[in-house]
Amino acid sequence: MKTESDLTWKQTQNLVDDLVFQVTKKHLGSSEMKVLHGAWCGKTYEAIASESFLAVRYIGEVGGRLWSNLSEALGEDVKKTNFRQALQRQWEKQASSCVNTATISEIQPSIIELNEEPFIERPNIESYCYQEISKPGALLRIHAPLQFGKTELMSRVIEYALKQKYRTVVLNLRDAVTEDFQNLDNFLQWFIVSISETLQIEESVEEHWHKSLGNCKIKCRTYFEKYILPSDNPIIISLDELDKLFPHEEIAGEFLGVLRTWHEYAKIKPVWQQLRLLILHRQVYNQININQSPFNTGTEIKLTDFNSGQIESLANKYKLNWGNTQVEQLMAMVGGHPYLIKKAIEEISRQGTTLENLLKSAPTASGIYRTHLERHLRYLQSNTTLLDIFKEIVLSDNPIQINTNIALDDAVKLYDCGLVELSNNNVSPRYQIYRLYFQERLAS
């Protein structure tokens, strides 16, 4: 029986989000929220998957990571069967240490319910993706900088595909370990095993590899042709964070060539029309022959900044009564960067801070964008050439001319990671927050 001191759904949502953020430095994603809400309602993974139009295996993996993160944050073994009790104990512990416990049960009444989770649709992009991924042998590439909404768009394409009864496999290259990147053979086996396990294919990849003739690319192709592609339903294979492959040049060149070849097979081999590839990446890998690259074929979707109307709409969904003034003030600092915009709006809605105070600390190490900015800094520090070039860009009062003061390839690399804007053969910091933050750190 529920008592007055039991956690409500809103309180559970806030508490779990805070705990997971402590471990991962990321807020709950849409899939995690669906799993959490379903589990809170006592639903099985099968029921959650059915309601979300997602695969049961995928929901189980999301749930496993969620309980693991909560276990780490709480210092005890948290499972789907006991998470409510564990959270209740943590809630009471926090309440007892708080001077004014009444405020705890009143945290941000404007918090968004799960079914109202804000998402700003990008005009025509989603429907265009649905149209393209439905084409036989499709190759759809979602190209955008870090935290621009690539994964969110991918999840919506996958949901659409599931409604069409397509088979779906979502692979994130972060799940591959060092051993998988040792050589092409290892990587292709990781790739095939990941797909076969998701689809629950009984034919052993190891046995196929042992018995089949030819090199590893041939073995990979024949496994696809024998066991994966033959079906009444097309299959979508989504590759998230493809950029993780690029530092491994020998593997990257060969594997990207394989993807290009498979896409072209659809023109001459009917069975390959079943395959639809969905690739998410930040940069374009150019260390490959243009005729073997998947980056100049298929359909490319480039995600852009939010406009002022979209930002105002998002603020309104968070119950903020914003108009042009507030939107313009925020955009003057972070432009229309989807993640930076949403994080600011969430912070103001949930924590009650003011826009003025948030903007004052935004480009500093104590601001809400600290993790995002430090991630860019580490990337630059790993590439001294780009670091020196970007230093020149942020310290200059005027745009830097490409090909005169900076090489085009270097400008494009900085553009792909979202740090600069290219215009009329000139390059400048993409957002004011980047200029201010890096001026402080690179001035000496």
Side-chain angles (χ1 to χ4, degrees):
M1 179 180 294
K2 187 180 185 302
T3 68
E4 291 186 1
S5 61
D6 283 345
L7 277 167
T8 65
W9 161 240
K10 286 185 179 181
Q11 293 165 342
T12 299
Q13 181 181 354
N14 279 339
L15 179 58
V16 172
D17 186 61
D18 289 341
L19 292 170
V20 169
F21 187 82
Q22 292 174 20
V23 175
T24 66
K25 303 306 179 186
K26 294 181 180 180
H27 291 289
L28 292 175
S30 59
S31 296
E32 292 170 311
M33 292 288 282
K34 290 173 182 175
V35 170
L36 178 64
H37 188 257
W40 192 83
C41 293
K43 297 178 181 178
T44 64
Y45 283 154
E46 287 78 8
I48 298 171
S50 176
E51 293 174 358
S52 306
F53 300 102
L54 295 171
V56 176
R57 180 183 289 270
Y58 174 71
I59 290 295
E61 291 173 353
V62 172
R65 289 194 297 270
L66 177 60
W67 313 133
S68 176
N69 289 330
L70 286 176
S71 296
E72 183 174 346
L74 295 174
E76 62 176 290
D77 186 22
V78 177
K79 301 177 182 178
K80 183 174 179 290
T81 54
N82 69 353
F83 80 97
R84 293 189 67 163
Q85 294 89 331
L87 292 175
Q88 183 69 35
R89 289 191 294 271
Q90 178 67 13
W91 182 260
E92 293 171 354
K93 180 180 177 181
Q94 290 181 359
S96 64
S97 64
C98 184
V99 175
N100 183 3
T101 57
T103 60
I104 293 181
S105 61
E106 299 168 359
I107 288 180
Q108 296 303 322
S110 62
I111 188 68
I112 308 299
E113 291 282 5
L114 175 67
N115 293 334
E116 301 173 325
E117 186 178 356
F119 175 77
I120 298 300
E121 294 186 1
R122 301 172 189 264
N124 301 322
I125 286 183
E126 287 183 51
S127 58
Y128 184 59
C129 288
Y130 303 157
Q131 174 185 327
E132 291 300 305
I133 207 67
S134 301
K135 295 179 179 179
L139 171 58
L140 183 61
R141 294 177 287 108
I142 302 177
H143 181 195
L146 178 72
Q147 297 177 312
F148 248 68
K150 297 185 296 296
T151 302
E152 179 67 35
L153 178 57
M154 175 199 71
S155 69
R156 290 177 177 265
V157 174
I158 293 297
E159 286 187 15
Y160 167 81
L162 288 167
K163 291 178 182 178
Q164 309 308 310
K165 307 302 181 182
Y166 289 7
R167 297 168 295 155
T168 63
V169 177
V170 177
L171 300 182
N172 191 313
L173 266 69
R174 284 186 302 177
D175 294 334
V177 298
T178 302
E179 182 181 353
D180 298 320
F181 291 112
Q182 283 185 352
N183 53 58
L184 182 62
D185 191 289
N186 283 19
F187 182 78
L188 289 179
Q189 287 196 59
W190 169 82
F191 177 65
I192 291 290
V193 167
S194 300
I195 295 171
S196 65
E197 288 189 350
T198 301
L199 298 176
Q200 298 181 325
I201 296 175
E202 295 181 358
E203 285 73 12
S204 167
V205 174
E206 183 178 359
E207 184 176 344
H208 174 81
W209 229 255
H210 178 70
K211 291 183 177 181
S212 298
L213 300 177
N215 59 42
C216 56
K217 290 197 291 186
I218 293 175
K219 293 176 181 179
C220 186
R221 172 175 57 80
T222 54
Y223 191 91
F224 258 80
E225 291 178 337
K226 289 181 178 180
Y227 309 121
I228 295 177
L229 298 178
S231 172
D232 293 333
N233 302 318
I235 177 171
I236 293 182
I237 297 178
S238 177
L239 295 172
D240 198 355
E241 298 209 37
L242 189 66
D243 306 72
K244 297 290 183 184
L245 188 62
F246 298 169
H248 310 277
E249 293 186 7
E250 292 185 8
I251 302 175
E254 295 285 358
F255 182 68
L256 294 174
V258 165
L259 298 182
R260 168 68 177 258
T261 300
W262 289 353
H263 171 60
E264 293 180 341
Y265 275 167
K267 301 173 184 177
I268 56 175
K269 298 182 177 182
V271 70
W272 285 93
Q273 294 179 5
Q274 292 289 80
L275 178 63
R276 320 291 163 87
L277 292 170
L278 178 59
I279 297 175
L280 282 63
H281 62 105
R282 297 192 296 274
Q283 299 182 23
V284 172
Y285 187 76
N286 55 17
Q287 304 299 316
I288 186 175
N289 186 301
I290 190 172
N291 296 316
Q292 297 177 326
S293 173
F295 297 110
N296 64 341
T297 189
T299 301
E300 180 179 68
I301 301 295
K302 280 194 173 183
L303 299 184
T304 58
D305 285 17
F306 284 161
N307 58 39
S308 58
Q310 290 171 315
I311 295 171
E312 185 173 348
S313 175
L314 182 62
N316 291 336
K317 289 184 178 183
Y318 274 92
K319 314 302 182 186
L320 297 179
N321 186 25
W322 278 17
N324 291 335
T325 300
Q326 293 85 353
V327 171
E328 289 174 0
Q329 288 176 343
L330 182 55
M331 292 187 75
M333 179 63 71
V334 301
H337 190 296
Y339 168 76
L340 302 183
I341 290 292
K342 186 175 180 181
K343 188 167 181 62
I345 291 174
E346 284 181 342
E347 185 75 10
I348 293 170
S349 174
R350 292 184 177 185
Q351 304 302 328
T353 188
T354 65
L355 177 60
E356 181 181 8
N357 288 337
L358 184 146
L359 293 176
K360 283 182 180 178
S361 64
T364 71
S366 62
I368 64 170
Y369 301 127
R370 174 182 176 180
T371 301
H372 175 86
L373 295 169
E374 287 179 347
R375 189 169 181 177
H376 276 304
L377 179 60
R378 288 194 299 272
Y379 169 73
L380 291 171
Q381 289 172 335
S382 70
N383 189 319
T384 55
T385 298
L386 292 183
L387 179 66
D388 292 339
I389 292 171
F390 192 61
K391 176 179 178 179
E392 182 181 355
I393 293 170
V394 298
L395 295 180
S396 174
D397 293 330
N398 300 304
I400 301 295
Q401 190 170 18
I402 299 173
N403 290 328
T404 299
N405 302 91
I406 176 176
L408 177 60
D409 285 349
D410 292 327
V412 170
K413 289 178 182 177
L414 290 171
Y415 172 79
D416 281 343
C417 66
L419 285 170
V420 301
E421 189 66 54
L422 305 180
S423 177
N424 297 325
N425 207 40
N426 291 320
V427 57
S428 56
R430 184 158 185 166
Y431 307 118
Q432 180 69 355
I433 189 172
Y434 292 160
R435 182 186 292 277
L436 296 175
Y437 177 83
F438 287 102
Q439 276 182 343
E440 178 72 21
R441 276 145 191 82
L442 304 180
S444 58

